[in-house]
Each structure stands twice: as C-alpha cells, then as structure tokens.
C-alpha cells in the first residue's frame, strides 16, 4: 500500500510548522502533511503568550534553550523583516527590588555573558533612564530582547511550507496511531470511546497508556509494538545525540506509521513527528512509545494596563526569577500592538486547554491527580504555589506583585486579558523538565517539552528535527 506522505507532523503550532517548513527546504519534493485538530494554526501555546522574543539570558549555558534561543531570536528578527511581519527589538530590564535578589541578579548577568548576550548592569538612577516609572535597587539591561506576533509567524510558516508542496490539514484530530511492519498492513480503528475513558487499561492496552483517558483497546493497536514492562523510566534525550530509544523500547525498526483521525481518515507515512504540545505525551503513548514523563498543565493568567495607564511602561520589565522554578514571574510587556500585558502567574490547570478558572476536564484533572509527580511538585513547591494561587483569585494580590516593579499602578488600572496554558513536562519524581526534550522511537520523533522559549527558538528547532527525520528516512 502506498504512503500518503513521507513525513506526518502532528500539531500546527509554531514548532510543528517550522519543522514542515524546514523539511521542504532541506529536501525539496518531500511529501509533508501536517495534521491539526483546531480550525487554524497557533491556537494554543503559540498564540497565547506574551509575544516576547527571548534573548536566552536565563538558560543554563550549553543547554538547548540557551543555544536555540540566542540563535532563534536573531533568525526570527530576520525572518520577520524579510516577510514584513510585525516585530520590534525593544530590549528589556530585569529588576531587583529586594537585597536578597542582588546576588541572583549578578549571577544572571554572568550567565548572560556566558551565553554571548550583551548585558549592562544598572544602578537605581540608570533604571529610570529606560523606564521612568520603574523602581529597583539594581537591574540588568538586555538589548537583544524584543517582541513579535507569533501567530503571524506561524501563519507565514504554514504558507511557505504549502508553497513548497506541503499540506496543512485543519480539523483533523488524531485518534489512533499504528506502526506498519515491512510488507504488512496495520489495523487502525476509531478510538473515540477509548479516548473518553476514565480508567487505565491493563496489559492488553497500548504501551504507556497510563493516563486515565489515554487507553485504547488491543484491537486498535494491531501493528503497534508493546512491552510488558509497566514502568516508565525518565531518560534525557539531547537533541544533538541519537537516542537508543528503539533498543530501550525493545522494538525493531518499522517501515512506517498509519494514523486514523476522528473523522475516520487514515493517513500512512514513512515517519511521524509529534509536535502536539499540550498533548505530546499522549500522542507518544498512542504511537506505542514511553515518554517517561507527564505533561502537567499550568495556566498563565494575564492582565493588561488600561489605556490611561499604558504610558507607565515603555518596553519590557522583568523581576529576578526564582532559579528553583521554570517560570519567570509577573512581568510587564509592551506588545507589538502597543498594549501592556502584566503576567503571567502560574497555577495548576484542571484541563490541558483550560484557559479560564472554571475550565474542567475530568479526564485531564484525573490524569494530573493520579500522577505521582504532581503530588511531589506540590510538596516541594507548596509555598510558591500558594502565592501563585493567591494572585490568581485576588486582583489586589496580583496588583501588589506588579507594584513591586511599578509603584505607580493601582488595582483600577488592571484589565483581564487572554490567558494561556503552559505544557510543562514533569518527571515521576516531581522534577520539572527544564530544557527542551526530544525522544525517538521507531519511525517517530517526539517533542516532549517545548514551552517558552520554544517560539523564539522555533526556526533552529525545526531544522534540527528535520535533520533527524531525514536521517530516519
């Protein structure tokens, strides 16, 4: 049976579309198909963030985030300029407001220099040269930070990929994935009933379907490799080093994959790339691979300054981050549209696409609560989490966090804005995966952790995934 495409990409966020774009540039004539369950691109993490082009300041030297953010920010500025997309390199300041933050600020300056980023240290008087209404004991100025419209970037990547022969198909939710052995045919079936299940399957179920709701039946997985070992072992998979995933999974190389969508369409491909973001761990399990982690969703809530107060902020203003947590804290961002966004905080979400406090998915909530890593995070970071929850339910508390940087603001200056959800990968021991994480299975590549700054780093990430996919083929 002929393949429908060479490479099937699941997910039309900015990373999935960058991968499709990179594949068409690296291998002209390659058949690429992107499947996206939403009616258009960039509906989740890509389109629901502060729009910041990150400099790479915060990330551990030598890490994927550090390397790809620095490289990606420069490339994305050029990409936006070439294609006439809204962007601006505004610079930002990171402000210490308490004395115990000063050593962390100095360490951050050293880290920035190690990452090749121009950093200028500021005293209190110099802070007001950049931001007249911001107050602090000291600050860093980072000239290479900027803002852009990531939705527009994603749309442009989709258009460029299409022009080069790729297809992007919206409204196509993947329900089952089966690997196809050489010379054989795989069976797939509509797993809608299983996808709505609330309990895990036993040994007859799909490998790694440990989430409530991740279950599919044995009949659905004919042609899919499984293992009898129920334990997920977390493994680091640096993108620059080929993994031993096939040997670790106890499987042999396969000739391809077959995917069935919710509409009953079957797509056959020689290789699959999982860029499903908030659902990436589930897609990995559907493919028969064990990701060794769980996506735990965190909702990031934003306010914006009312128009009469917007002039209080010129550019980008950040607090000194807590190195024990991967979130940057409530910051001030003048976006490409001129509006000033405040946030985000970071609170556990009861749905992977839970953009409001009342959003609840029983399946998602049960999966998070049943995961040991979730409880270990709560025990380890309960003080931090309590503060985030307080700011979530109290505008006064959120305003107080803003006033640490911007004393002139008051509660009446804040207006609710669009929220986002961060797809945070968590290991079973409760460790938050800090760097980008990628893994390979037979004929599959999974992007398992790509939150911020993945949008900034999307062009080099897409090229590297494309290189790895072409090596599989």
């Amino acid at each position: 049976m002929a393949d429908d495409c060479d490479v099937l990409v699941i997910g039309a966020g900015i990373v999935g579309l960058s991968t499709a774009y990179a594949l068409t540039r690296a291998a002209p004539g390659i058949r690429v198909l992107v499947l996206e369950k939403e009616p258009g691109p960039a509906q989740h993490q890509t389109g629901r963030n502060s729009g910041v082009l990150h400099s790479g300041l915060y990330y551990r030297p030598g890490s994927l985030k550090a390397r790809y953010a620095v490289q990606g920010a420069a490339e994305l500025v050029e990409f936006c300029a070439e294609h006439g997309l809204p962007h601006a390199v505004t610079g930002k300041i990171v402000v210490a407001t308490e004395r115990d933050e000063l050593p962390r600020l100095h360490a951050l300056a050293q880290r920035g220099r190690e990452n090749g980023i121009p950093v200028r240290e500021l005293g209190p008087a110099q802070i007001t040269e950049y931001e007249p209404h911001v107050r602090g004991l000291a600050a860093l100025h980072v000239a290479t930070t900027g803002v852009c419209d990531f939705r527009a970037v994603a749309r442009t990547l989709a258009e460029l990929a299409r022009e080069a022969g790729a297809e992007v198909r919206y409204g196509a939710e993947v329900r089952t994935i089966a690997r196809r052995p050489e010379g054989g045919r795989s069976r797939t079936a509509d797993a809608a009933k299983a996808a709505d299940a609330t309990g895990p399957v036993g040994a007859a179920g799909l490998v790694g379907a440990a989430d409530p709701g991740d279950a599919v039946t044995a009949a659905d997985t004919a042609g899919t490799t499984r293992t009898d070992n129920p334990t997920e072992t977390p493994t680091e998979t640096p993108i620059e080093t080929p993994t031993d995933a096939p040997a670790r999974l106890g499987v042999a190389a396969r000739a391809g994959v077959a995917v069935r969508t919710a509409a009953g369409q079957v797509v056959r491909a020689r290789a699959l790339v999982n860029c499903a973001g908030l659902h990436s761990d589930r897609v990995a399990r559907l493919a028969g691979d064990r990701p060794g982690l769980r996506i735990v969703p965190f909702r990031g809530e934003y306010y914006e300054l009312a128009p009469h107060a917007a002039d209080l902020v010129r550019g980008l203003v950040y607090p000194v981050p807590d190195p024990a947590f991967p979130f940057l804290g409530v910051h001030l961002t003048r976006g490409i549209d001129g509006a000033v966004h405040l946030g985000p905080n970071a609170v556990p979400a009861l749905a992977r696409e839970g953009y409001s406090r009342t959003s609840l998915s029983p399946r998602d909530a049960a999966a998070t609560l049943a995961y040991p890593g979730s409880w270990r995070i709560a025990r380890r970071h309960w003080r931090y989490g309590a503060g985030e929850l307080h700011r979530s339910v109290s505008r006064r508390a959120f305003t107080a966090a803003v006033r640490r940087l911007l004393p002139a603001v008051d509660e009446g200056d804040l207006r609710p804005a669009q929220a986002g959800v961060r797809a945070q990968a968590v290991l079973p021991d409760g460790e938050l995966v800090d760097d980008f994480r990628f893994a390979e299975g037979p004929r599959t590549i999974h992007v398992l952790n790509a939150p911020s700054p993945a949008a900034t780093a999307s062009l080099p990430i897409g090229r590297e995934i494309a290189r790895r996919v072409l090596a599989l083929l």
Side-chain angles (χ1 to χ4, degrees):
M1 183 177 293
D3 292 311
D4 297 289
C5 61
D6 296 309
V7 182
L8 174 63
V9 179
I10 298 177
I14 197 168
V15 172
L17 292 170
S18 176
T19 299
Y21 169 69
L23 281 166
T24 60
R25 287 173 62 89
I30 192 171
R31 297 169 301 162
V32 180
L33 171 61
V34 181
L35 295 184
E36 167 58 51
K37 71 183 181 67
E38 302 296 350
Q43 299 292 296
H44 296 291
Q45 291 185 103
T46 301
R48 289 177 168 270
N49 58 55
S50 57
V52 174
L53 282 166
H54 290 281
S55 63
L57 174 71
Y58 303 104
Y59 314 119
R60 177 176 51 83
S63 67
L64 301 179
K65 281 187 175 181
R67 288 161 41 207
Y68 288 160
V70 172
Q71 183 180 356
E75 290 185 11
L76 210 50
V77 168
E78 294 179 3
F79 183 89
C80 289
E82 179 181 354
H83 297 284
L85 303 179
H87 71 288
V89 180
T90 58
K92 75 173 176 184
I93 58 172
V94 182
V95 182
T97 59
E98 304 288 344
R99 288 199 173 276
D100 62 1
E101 294 176 337
L102 294 175
R104 284 155 47 194
L105 187 74
H106 179 69
L108 198 60
Q110 294 298 109
R111 172 167 287 192
R113 294 183 181 111
E114 287 181 54
N115 287 337
I117 300 164
V119 176
R120 180 189 176 199
E121 298 186 63
L122 309 176
Q126 294 167 306
I127 292 172
T128 59
E129 294 176 13
Y130 292 98
E131 293 286 350
H133 300 283
V134 170
R135 297 293 179 267
L137 301 178
L140 304 179
H141 179 255
V142 185
T144 53
T145 304
V147 290
C148 75
D149 183 343
F150 286 122
R151 284 182 183 266
V153 172
R155 288 194 298 267
T156 301
L157 287 169
E159 291 168 6
L160 293 171
R162 283 197 200 98
E163 290 172 3
E167 179 185 356
V168 183
R169 191 178 298 172
Y170 299 112
E173 182 177 359
V174 171
R175 289 294 178 86
T176 62
I177 303 171
R179 290 200 172 97
R180 298 182 296 118
E182 187 71 48
R185 293 180 60 182
S186 62
R187 291 179 58 197
T188 58
D190 189 344
K193 183 180 295 185
D196 293 333
T198 57
V201 295
L206 178 66
V207 160
D211 286 0
D214 281 351
V216 295
T217 66
D220 292 331
T221 61
T224 301
T225 301
R226 56 180 292 264
T227 175
D228 293 327
N229 180 6
T231 303
E232 292 186 347
T233 303
T235 57
E236 287 289 345
T237 310
I239 195 169
E240 69 272 24
T241 305
T243 74
D244 63 350
R248 178 170 53 83
L249 296 170
V251 297
R254 300 285 185 168
V257 296
V259 166
R260 184 181 289 272
T261 70
Q265 299 172 323
V266 176
V267 178
R268 293 163 293 272
R270 296 173 61 203
L272 180 145
V273 179
N274 167 16
C275 296
L278 288 159
H279 305 282
S280 59
D281 58 335
R282 287 175 171 161
V283 169
R285 292 184 180 93
L286 283 179
D289 295 334
R290 292 181 178 273
L293 49 74
R294 180 70 51 83
I295 295 297
V296 175
F298 285 85
R299 186 174 62 256
E301 297 164 332
Y302 291 88
Y303 286 89
E304 67 180 29
L305 286 181
H308 70 267
D311 288 344
L312 293 174
V313 178
R314 288 180 175 178
L316 310 179
V317 183
Y318 282 67
V320 179
D322 182 346
F325 225 61
F327 307 107
L328 297 179
V330 173
H331 45 274
L332 323 177
T333 305
R334 178 172 288 277
I336 201 67
D337 59 356
V340 177
H341 288 86
L342 316 173
N345 60 356
V347 296
L350 296 177
R352 295 201 183 196
E353 298 173 15
Y355 298 114
S356 72
R357 296 189 186 98
T358 59
S359 297
L360 170 63
S361 163
R363 177 194 183 197
D364 294 347
T368 296
L369 293 172
Y371 186 52
S374 301
W375 294 100
R376 288 166 182 152
I377 291 174
R379 285 196 296 270
R380 190 176 301 164
H381 298 293
W382 69 270
R383 289 183 185 277
Y384 186 99
E388 294 291 280
L389 287 169
H390 186 209
R391 285 185 285 275
S392 174
V393 299
S394 169
R395 184 181 297 200
R396 178 176 296 179
F398 194 101
T399 304
V402 176
R403 284 174 59 85
R404 291 185 59 208
L405 298 169
L406 192 67
V409 77
D410 61 43
E411 192 175 337
D413 296 328
L414 273 60
R415 302 285 186 269
Q418 173 182 264
V421 176
R422 177 188 179 107
Q424 178 61 52
V426 179
L427 300 178
D429 65 1
E431 180 185 348
L432 302 175
V433 178
D434 184 51
D435 207 356
F436 298 145
R437 180 171 289 203
F438 308 80
E440 291 183 16
R443 295 282 175 161
T444 57
I445 293 178
H446 305 289
V447 182
L448 296 174
N449 193 59
S452 178
T456 298
S458 56
L459 292 177
I461 288 175
R463 281 198 307 275
E464 182 58 31
I465 295 172
R467 183 189 67 79
R468 292 164 71 94
V469 173
L470 294 174
L472 288 179
L473 297 179

